Amino acid sequence: MSIIIISSDSRNVEEEMAKRVADAKGFDIVDCRVLEDVAKDCNVDPGILEKALENTPSILKKMPQARWRYYLSCIEAEVLERLRRDNVVCWGVAAHLYVIGVSHAMKVRLISGSARRAASIAELQGTSMNIARKWVDDEEKRRKKWSLSAYGIDETSPSIYDLVINLDQIDPDEAVGTIIEAVGYRKFRPVTYSVKCLSDLAIAARVRAELLRSMKDIRVQARDGTVIVFVKGSGREKVKKSRAIKEIAGKIDGVSFVEVHVKRNITDAEGMESPDRSRYPGWPVIGKTSHDVDKAAN
Amino acid sequence: MSEKKLRIMVIDDENIVGKRLKPALEKSGYLVETFEDGETALARYDEEPFDIVVTDIRMEKVDGIEVLEKILAKSDRTKVIIITGYATVEVAREALSKGAFDFIAKPFKPDDLRTIIKRAANELRQ
């Protein structure tokens, strides 16, 4: 009863290893196929969602930042809901960046040396090693920028993973064996606390996705059905916004109480980062704002 | 013949926790003793073992992780449930690695704990 989240610097590697681990464990797979369902909910083409998972708004001129953030929040909400079923291997939907604080979710990063990746790219695209090397470097920079903009986390940093395997040194068969052995450790068993954390994350993500349909700059915390929403706003719009948020969030399954904080800046000292963090210790937070994106991009 | 009542030990330095849990668990048919520090609880365990131990983590002198280790060293049959107001992934994983049966963040509803205890009781009776 665990969750294995696999990510890699190569999509093919992620897919192959996720399938092998899922087969060996008899687990279900959660991957980019969820985008079909998310696309129906958002009323967009699944290709747009794929692009949102790949690119930051600055590159995608046709996708404004508010839409980009909305699409990501919809993907996040759907994936978190599916992860609640347990016994799942997840890849390709950036779950390693938003499944935070769930002790029974084991995050695995599979890396291969840039020389090997460049050689494989050169062969695949029929280009020189120099061009392939540059492509690999650019790709790494792009992923780093994307993960920082979307979730404020550098996905190329090994410290965010529970297990990092270098496929230049460890054969795929050995890597599958290592992952299966590691997920068998007691520490990755679900406990009441971790199951609740995942459930709270899923509710917070669902609330945020619903709110981002019509608003922007939203952060959400959830615990045991109580939801706290932080939103940017000032003056007269405070009451109106608060009322609208309570109405939308209150209709979502699992939400029993909604508290709204409309602030001029939801990431400064007056916002959630200091007083509310201490008021609600350990509450999972869902949502990056435009302010965070600007910070990450700089 | 009725089943022997399971014995539960609740350890928390905030005495309100023991005061609230004792009647709630006794109502479910368990024998409950409460303690406000790990040292006294461990001494009592030496006199007479308990089936289930519910312990807070942050306590002076002997903390909950130490209680967990010492109790499991005495009897691996005992189910130790960790409760804490300072839950993190790291602490949860440490407790599980050291053999905790379950881990729950405070505040929790008595029903949440009752569900865990029921599961522990079922395993003990198997």
Side-chain angles (χ1 to χ4, degrees):
Chain A
M1 289 281 284
S2 295
I3 297 165
I4 303 170
I5 298 169
I6 295 180
S7 77
S8 168
D9 39 23
S10 154
R11 193 181 166 83
N12 293 342
V13 168
E14 262 178 49
E15 182 174 12
E16 187 201 331
M17 295 298 283
K19 275 184 182 164
R20 291 179 64 171
V21 171
D23 283 348
K25 288 290 290 176
F27 280 15
D28 289 333
I29 288 182
V30 171
D31 60 15
C32 46
R33 284 171 293 182
V34 302
L35 300 185
E36 294 282 337
D37 290 340
V38 178
K40 279 179 205 154
D41 280 354
C42 301
N43 203 20
V44 287
D45 187 274
I48 303 238
L49 299 177
E50 274 175 44
K51 280 182 186 164
L53 279 172
E54 285 295 315
N55 301 296
T56 44
S58 56
I59 297 167
L60 274 177
K61 294 203 167 39
K62 284 180 186 168
M63 193 186 292
Q65 195 189 106
R67 281 284 96 185
W68 176 66
R69 213 155 271 291
Y70 167 61
Y71 294 145
L72 291 181
S73 75
C74 291
I75 296 168
E76 197 176 323
E78 184 64 33
V79 170
L80 285 164
E81 197 54 47
R82 294 189 187 210
L83 294 184
R84 290 175 72 182
R85 294 173 200 165
D86 268 343
N87 290 349
V88 167
V89 177
C90 181
W91 72 275
V93 283
H96 54 294
L97 300 172
Y98 50 79
V99 180
I100 306 287
V102 179
S103 64
H104 67 279
M106 184 178 86
K107 293 181 194 173
V108 182
R109 182 73 169 177
L110 302 167
I111 54 168
S112 46
S114 54
R116 183 169 151 171
R117 284 184 66 211
S120 148
I121 296 293
E123 194 187 327
L124 212 70
Q125 297 180 353
T127 56
S128 71
M129 270 302 279
N130 275 349
I131 292 173
R133 244 183 241 122
K134 187 176 180 313
W135 187 90
V136 168
D137 288 348
D138 288 349
E139 184 64 10
E140 189 154 318
K141 279 179 200 153
R142 191 183 62 78
R143 287 305 305 171
K144 182 175 177 169
K145 186 182 173 192
W146 183 88
S147 60
L148 279 167
S149 297
Y151 296 101
I153 295 170
D154 174 7
E155 75 166 17
T156 62
S157 166
S159 63
I160 68 162
Y161 302 97
D162 298 304
L163 180 66
V164 178
I165 300 177
N166 182 354
L167 293 173
D168 277 351
Q169 305 299 328
I170 306 291
D171 293 338
D173 282 344
E174 293 167 339
V176 170
T178 304
I179 293 167
I180 288 169
E181 192 187 335
V183 82
Y185 297 158
R186 274 187 66 90
K187 66 177 70 188
F188 294 117
R189 286 188 192 176
V191 283
T192 302
Y193 164 67
S194 66
V195 170
K196 276 205 169 187
C197 282
L198 182 56
S199 156
D200 290 339
L201 275 179
I203 288 174
R206 182 62 66 196
V207 168
R208 184 165 179 266
E210 283 303 319
L211 295 174
L212 284 177
R213 270 183 207 269
S214 53
M215 300 174 195
K216 58 180 188 174
D217 290 327
I218 301 270
R219 280 194 171 188
V220 182
Q221 289 178 290
R223 188 158 187 173
D224 287 338
T226 295
V227 167
I228 304 167
V229 179
F230 301 88
V231 62
K232 261 188 185 178
S234 57
R236 285 183 193 167
E237 66 174 348
K238 273 189 171 184
V239 177
K240 203 175 153 193
K241 254 190 178 170
S242 178
R243 200 177 294 144
I245 288 170
K246 283 185 179 177
E247 197 181 329
I248 295 168
K251 287 180 186 158
I252 292 166
D253 275 355
V255 176
S256 54
F257 181 76
V258 184
E259 190 177 307
V260 182
H261 297 259
V262 188
K263 307 245 179 191
R264 206 178 276 269
N265 186 345
I266 62 172
T267 54
D268 69 10
E270 286 177 19
M272 62 180 287
E273 293 292 56
S274 48
D276 297 305
R277 275 279 188 208
S278 57
R279 194 172 151 202
Y280 309 108
W283 283 47
V285 183
I286 287 284
K288 288 282 154 196
T289 64
S290 53
H291 175 81
D292 300 315
V293 174
D294 296 341
K295 257 169 65 181
N298 296 328
Chain B
M1 208 175 91
S2 65
E3 270 181 331
K4 198 181 154 200
K5 282 188 174 182
L6 289 177
R7 292 164 43 75
I8 299 178
M9 170 183 266
V10 177
I11 316 165
D12 198 310
D13 56 2
E14 288 177 80
N15 66 359
I16 185 75
V17 175
K19 272 186 185 168
R20 286 197 63 193
L21 289 179
K22 193 175 185 331
L25 296 174
E26 282 176 341
K27 213 170 142 187
S28 302
Y30 302 107
L31 290 172
V32 183
E33 287 185 35
T34 61
F35 301 85
E36 286 173 31
D37 68 274
E39 251 177 343
T40 317
L42 287 170
R44 174 72 181 123
Y45 189 95
D46 283 338
E47 290 168 14
E48 211 176 345
F50 286 71
D51 303 291
I52 296 167
V53 173
V54 178
T55 179
D56 185 21
I57 289 191
R58 284 202 186 179
M59 294 182 294
E60 280 183 16
K61 289 186 188 167
V62 180
D63 70 17
I65 296 292
E66 209 176 328
V67 168
L68 164 73
E69 288 176 311
K70 290 197 167 154
I71 282 182
L72 291 184
K74 293 173 204 286
S75 162
D76 58 4
R77 188 186 166 274
T78 304
K79 306 288 182 199
V80 182
I81 297 158
I82 303 286
I83 56 174
T84 179
Y86 301 90
T88 62
V89 170
E90 292 75 20
V91 178
R93 286 180 173 171
E94 184 190 3
L96 270 179
S97 290
K98 290 184 170 162
F101 177 75
D102 206 339
F103 185 100
I104 185 167
K106 286 199 264 184
F108 54 83
K109 295 174 193 131
D111 262 356
D112 294 337
L113 185 63
R114 265 197 291 255
T115 305
I116 300 171
I117 287 179
K118 202 173 168 187
R119 202 158 32 84
N122 286 342
E123 277 196 21
L124 285 166
R125 284 175 177 139
Q126 268 171 13

